[in-house]
Amino acid sequence: MKALVSADVFPATQHYTYLNAASVAPMSKMAAKATLDWQEDLALRGTVHFDEEAETRVFDSLREVGARLLGSGADEIAGASNASESLCSIAWALSPGPDKNVVSSRIEFPSVVYPWLRVARTTGCQVRLTRDENHVIDPDELVGLIDDQTSAVCISHVQYSTGQRLDVRALADVAHGHGALLIVDATQSAGAVPLDVVADDVDILVTSGYKWLCGPFGAAMLFVRRALHDMLEPGLVGWRSTSTVFDFQADALQWAPSASRFEFGTLAYGCTIGMMTAIEHLLEVGIEEIHRYDLALAARLAEGLADLGAEFVTPSPHELLSSIVTARFPGQDQARVARRLNEEGVVVSPRIGAVRFAPHLYNTVEDIDQALDCLKVILAES
Ligand SMILES: Cc1ncc(COP(=O)(O)O)c(C=O)c1O
């Protein structure tokens, strides 16, 4: 299998066998340069270049690129600092009342659930979480929690711990059938799995930028379906929430008529530009192409892990729907295995008492084989 991108595009891969995109992905040299150039320009020239006009329009290109990534309209995209912040703002915007509920899962990434738990303390709404069976969500059980009192289903497209991928369209159909919104956290899928908010009928989607999108810390993106713009009053609000951002009028809160009403204050703009550059590169390579490639790497990895006696936490490792592979090694201290791999330059994360591997477009078949060879030696050490 031929490498998908040339080795010099992601400099980190020349030094490490980097299998940790589910935690933090390395940046392409273009994305890193765009981030640093922006910061340098601000440091050297302040508002001489980055004037109020530029600051007003700073998210325009992200909206265009984000819209291409998600299949949305540009006016449906907002820039954000991180996924957690956007989820909080959305939870407060919805503020389900005491007779309402929100559906999610007990094994979700905390930022997907905590905002609702916090809102529930104020409004008295119910937060319904699926039980977990060996870190796997049962989609039927999830759907069974949705009823006519459900305000929102809030769930990750791909689970951070196991790579389990949910059928977003099926969830949207059930949620909408009960008058509920579908809110998707695509932090573990955007950049690696094709997304289409129209085909999947998603209402709201958030994604952080530093994982599979290969952007920097400090940048994220929020999609809000156009039909919801006028109905949602963001939980986080500030001078950027309005349509005339430098026309300060403290006595009149007039929301921007688009998703940009969720952009409430000064953001790490340079990071946003870095993330946008990273996404442009991924789109150039092709998300479908990346998805196929990542799955092929993950399949090879899963096969090699099985040969080494691994037990998979990832459901159906041989029918992978994302490239996260989480495995345990019987009789081994899993944290030690993860630590030793990192010491040997094979970058992975310990998660849920197992080792999580997450190959992405910059990896090669040789990386997978190198990780497996290294693992074989480490397993023999104890
Ligand atoms: C599904 C999911 N959502 C959100 C986050 C965190 O996003 P942020 O750091 O941008 O708040 C993570 C991080 O692991 C994640 O896996």
Side-chain angles (χ1 to χ4, degrees):
M1 200 166 80
K2 209 169 136 281
L4 191 58
V5 290
S6 101
D8 66 335
V9 174
F10 287 90
T13 60
Q14 291 164 10
H15 306 286
Y16 308 101
T17 304
Y18 198 94
L19 302 174
N20 209 21
S23 181
V24 179
M27 271 186 269
S28 65
K29 61 183 181 190
M30 298 83 77
K33 183 173 184 317
T35 310
L36 295 174
D37 283 355
W38 190 92
Q39 300 292 4
E40 188 179 28
D41 185 61
L42 186 73
L44 297 181
R45 284 174 279 275
T47 59
V48 174
H49 274 181
F50 193 63
D51 58 13
E52 292 185 0
E53 168 69 10
E55 189 168 358
T56 302
R57 303 181 63 83
V58 68
F59 293 119
D60 285 4
S61 42
L62 174 70
R63 291 189 223 294
E64 296 294 333
V65 171
R68 279 168 57 210
L69 180 76
L70 302 179
S72 70
D75 62 315
E76 296 176 301
I77 302 288
S81 305
N82 58 63
S84 305
E85 161 196 291
S86 293
L87 287 163
C88 283
S89 193
I90 290 290
W92 285 108
L94 283 179
S95 288
D99 52 341
K100 294 288 190 178
N101 67 74
V102 174
V103 170
S104 190
S105 163
R106 190 178 298 258
I107 57 167
E108 260 300 343
F109 190 76
S111 297
V112 178
V113 177
Y114 286 174
W116 304 107
L117 294 179
R118 172 63 189 90
V119 168
R121 286 181 185 171
T122 297
T123 69
C125 73
Q126 194 189 9
V127 181
R128 297 181 174 173
L129 304 177
T130 55
R131 287 168 299 135
D132 88 270
E133 195 66 49
N134 299 324
H135 290 279
V136 177
I137 295 172
D138 176 349
D140 292 336
E141 195 192 335
L142 186 69
V143 160
L145 297 179
I146 305 169
D147 62 20
D148 289 346
Q149 299 312 115
T150 304
S151 289
V153 178
C154 187
I155 201 87
S156 290
H157 184 199
V158 167
Q159 286 295 311
Y160 82 98
S161 55
T162 63
Q164 181 185 7
R165 179 171 146 194
L166 295 176
D167 182 341
V168 172
R169 176 65 209 219
L171 283 175
D173 288 346
V174 179
H176 295 158
H178 289 281
L181 297 181
L182 178 66
I183 303 169
V184 174
D185 183 333
T187 298
Q188 294 289 358
S189 60
V193 179
L195 294 167
D196 186 332
V197 288
V198 173
D200 283 342
D201 216 4
V202 174
D203 297 298
I204 293 168
L205 181 146
V206 301
T207 176
S208 207
Y210 60 85
K211 296 183 192 284
W212 305 88
L213 288 177
C214 304
F217 281 160
M221 205 165 59
L222 169 67
F223 155 81
V224 181
R225 179 198 283 269
R226 194 170 296 124
L228 295 173
H229 292 172
D230 287 345
M231 290 154 56
L232 292 179
E233 297 207 74
L236 299 173
V237 57
W239 66 275
R240 274 205 83 111
S241 308
T242 65
S243 47
T244 48
V245 292
F246 278 99
D247 182 14
F248 304 128
Q249 290 180 42
D251 59 346
L253 170 54
Q254 279 168 353
W255 300 107
S258 64
S260 68
R261 62 175 55 195
F262 282 88
E263 293 155 2
F264 55 95
T266 305
L267 277 98
Y269 301 128
C271 298
T272 307
I273 286 160
M275 177 176 74
M276 187 205 67
T277 308
I279 298 172
E280 271 180 330
H281 173 243
L282 299 182
L283 289 170
E284 238 168 67
V285 178
I287 304 292
E288 294 275 0
E289 198 67 28
I290 293 170
H291 183 50
R292 270 195 297 274
Y293 184 80
D294 285 3
L295 288 187
L297 291 178
R300 186 178 180 109
L301 175 67
E303 210 177 299
L305 292 175
D307 289 345
L308 292 175
E311 288 172 358
F312 293 98
V313 190
T314 295
S316 311
H318 297 292
E319 298 159 36
L320 284 160
L321 296 171
S322 85
S323 67
I324 296 175
V325 181
T326 307
R328 293 197 180 102
F329 303 93
Q332 297 278 342
D333 173 347
Q334 312 301 319
R336 183 196 77 87
V337 174
R339 193 188 66 245
R340 286 286 298 116
L341 281 167
N342 280 287
E343 283 168 1
E344 297 300 325
V346 179
V347 185
V348 297
S349 286
R351 286 290 182 276
I352 56 168
V355 182
R356 185 183 66 184
F357 302 82
H360 200 12
L361 76 159
Y362 39 74
N363 291 122
T364 59
V365 167
E366 289 72 32
D367 286 340
I368 302 300
D369 294 347
Q370 157 68 13
L372 290 166
D373 287 348
C374 189
L375 187 58
K376 192 171 177 182
V377 173
I378 289 170
L379 294 179
E381 284 171 354
S382 64

